[in-house]
Amino acid sequence: MGSAQAALLKDSPPKDSARSPDTEVTPVTERELVIIGSGPAGLTAALYAARANLAPVVYEGTQSGGQLMLTTEVENYPGFPDGILGPDLMDNFRTQAARFGAEIHPLDVESLDLSTRPFALEVGGETVQAQAVILATGASAKWLGLPDEARLAGRGISTCATCDGFFFRDKEIAVVGGGDSAVEEALFLTKFAGKVTLIHRRDQLRASKIMAERARANERIAFLWNSIVTDVHGEDKLESIGLEDTQTGARSTLAVDGLFVAIGHEPNTALVKGQIDLDDVGYAITHADVRTSVPGLWAAGDVQDSVWRQAVTAAGSGCMAAIDAERHLEAEKFGVAPAW
Ligand code: NAP
């Protein structure tokens, strides 16, 4: 039995052991540190917190592992000179955190109440009280929502040029979107691709002027204005995309090896909306790098990062959050009110 499974079994019993079977009392479990999310940020926080004897519990969600589960080869995570598959990398993260005693549960946190310490979480039919919480729920790339898009994700369709661009050397690529992300992805992809077609649903980019200028000046980028992608085709890998002209309704097909969807990300902050400071887009605002506006709640990884968005930066911020949480909880135990 793996240590994570063993950990699942040694979950402490409900406090309210006197309840009768027919009274509906929600059991309460107390934890020192709860980590929500199981991407590089959450599992690195779990590793550091476990090694600091904080007995962290990780609610990894029913879709564990974060965005790397959607990638194939990861070649830019340091320490793996031959690259590693995204899901394998996340499996390593998980195994390493569990090895030091992090409890990892395949559950989604349903609600998080930050109005009093300890914080209260509803998860798996239980109320869990936590002295400290690290929010590592990540951000989700927006997808077009087309039939077969998910099937071909990682097989030609991607939401991360930094992760997957290298596999498209001398290939034909399309990028969808008109914001800074799309332009940045398109520019990056010209390092590899023979040709990059930027497909935008309007006739004007949303991207900042300087980025737009750079894209226009790049001979390898062609623009397809007023166009939407209507479908994606391919058996084992992407072969072509269907297009529709939003002005004329004319339909066409474009043969491409890669399609990068860059229509924005959504930070997964629904649990804390209205309880902590978020920016206009919904990212958690942090200070001292990983502290949120609520003492005792840290945010690490893509949930608070709209700029770098890399596995290695997420892991770094997870480490920072765990170390800061450990120092903070230790200071509280000694009655020292820590500055926040
Ligand atoms: P964004 O600014 O929200 O742009 C999203 C783009 O995708 C828009 O052009 C939008 O079209 C298009 N879009 C949205 N939904 C679509 C759909 N279903 N089908 C087709 N197109 C769709 O998102 P972002 O580019 O990810 O940028 C987010 C934030 O990060 C921005 O503040 C940006 O400045 C910042 N950022 C900065 C940098 C940098 O400075 N290097 C790099 C990346 C991101 P419309 O224009 O028609 O709405």
Side-chain angles (χ1 to χ4, degrees):
M1 182 190 297
S3 47
Q5 286 163 295
L8 282 174
L9 296 178
K10 72 178 175 66
D11 215 1
S12 56
K15 281 268 147 111
D16 187 4
S17 53
R19 73 200 156 99
S20 70
D22 45 8
T23 52
E24 295 252 331
V25 179
T26 311
V28 177
T29 310
E30 285 173 20
R31 301 289 183 173
E32 192 156 30
L33 175 67
V34 163
I35 296 165
I36 310 174
S38 56
L43 291 176
T44 303
L47 170 65
Y48 274 78
R51 287 174 55 80
N53 283 337
L54 290 179
V57 58
V58 180
Y59 293 112
E60 65 177 347
T62 41
Q63 289 186 317
S64 63
Q67 293 186 63
L68 281 187
M69 300 300 277
L70 303 174
T71 8
T72 49
E73 201 81 36
V74 178
E75 293 186 330
N76 57 5
Y77 198 86
F80 296 91
D82 300 322
I84 182 167
L85 291 174
D88 290 350
L89 179 59
M90 292 324 300
D91 199 41
N92 286 353
F93 267 77
R94 197 178 186 283
T95 303
Q96 194 174 0
R99 178 180 152 212
F100 291 100
E103 290 185 29
I104 304 174
H105 299 266
L107 295 170
D108 287 315
V109 173
E110 289 135 33
S111 70
L112 169 61
D113 181 354
L114 300 172
S115 59
T116 52
R117 290 271 302 279
F119 304 133
L121 299 88
E122 295 298 325
V123 53
E126 255 197 318
T127 298
V128 176
Q129 293 187 335
Q131 281 304 329
V133 171
I134 295 176
L135 186 73
T137 42
S140 304
K142 291 189 203 162
W143 294 86
L144 294 166
L146 300 173
D148 290 331
E149 189 181 21
R151 181 176 63 78
L152 291 169
R155 296 162 188 269
I157 302 185
S158 170
T159 53
C160 177
T162 317
C163 318
D164 297 329
F166 189 75
F167 305 109
F168 293 88
R169 196 168 285 280
D170 300 326
K171 306 273 188 194
E172 297 257 330
I173 296 181
V175 175
V176 193
D180 279 326
S181 292
V183 171
E184 194 171 62
E185 302 268 276
L187 285 165
F188 181 78
L189 288 165
T190 59
K191 293 180 187 176
F192 312 102
K195 183 181 170 195
V196 178
T197 304
L198 186 66
I199 302 168
H200 186 31
R201 62 185 177 183
R202 294 188 292 127
D203 62 357
Q204 230 181 354
L205 292 174
R206 176 181 293 279
S208 54
K209 262 194 178 155
I210 186 164
M211 297 286 281
E213 282 310 315
R214 266 185 224 159
R216 283 196 195 97
N218 192 311
E219 287 174 355
R220 288 199 182 183
I221 299 179
F223 293 89
L224 204 52
W225 303 109
N226 298 317
S227 297
I228 53 170
V229 179
T230 51
D231 35 15
V232 293
H233 310 285
E235 282 302 316
D236 297 331
K237 61 183 184 58
L238 181 71
E239 287 161 15
S240 66
I241 57 177
L243 296 167
E244 186 181 308
D245 186 311
T246 57
Q247 307 286 296
T248 64
R251 288 178 164 265
S252 58
T253 302
L254 183 69
V256 285
D257 305 289
L259 174 68
F260 286 79
V261 181
I263 58 172
H265 280 77
E266 268 173 308
N268 300 320
T269 43
L271 281 175
V272 293
K273 197 173 176 190
Q275 302 190 82
I276 68 168
D277 292 345
L278 303 177
D279 72 11
D280 292 346
V281 182
Y283 285 92
I285 295 175
T286 50
H287 64 108
D289 295 319
V290 281
R291 293 180 180 186
T292 69
S293 54
V294 173
L297 180 79
W298 289 259
D302 284 11
V303 73
Q304 52 91 52
D305 172 16
S306 62
V307 180
W308 314 112
R309 298 170 175 165
Q310 298 302 301
V312 66
T313 50
S317 69
C319 161
M320 289 158 67
I323 290 176
D324 204 47
E326 193 244 331
R327 290 178 183 163
H328 189 82
L329 289 167
E330 191 67 15
E332 281 186 332
K333 267 184 211 150
F334 285 98
V336 185
W340 186 266

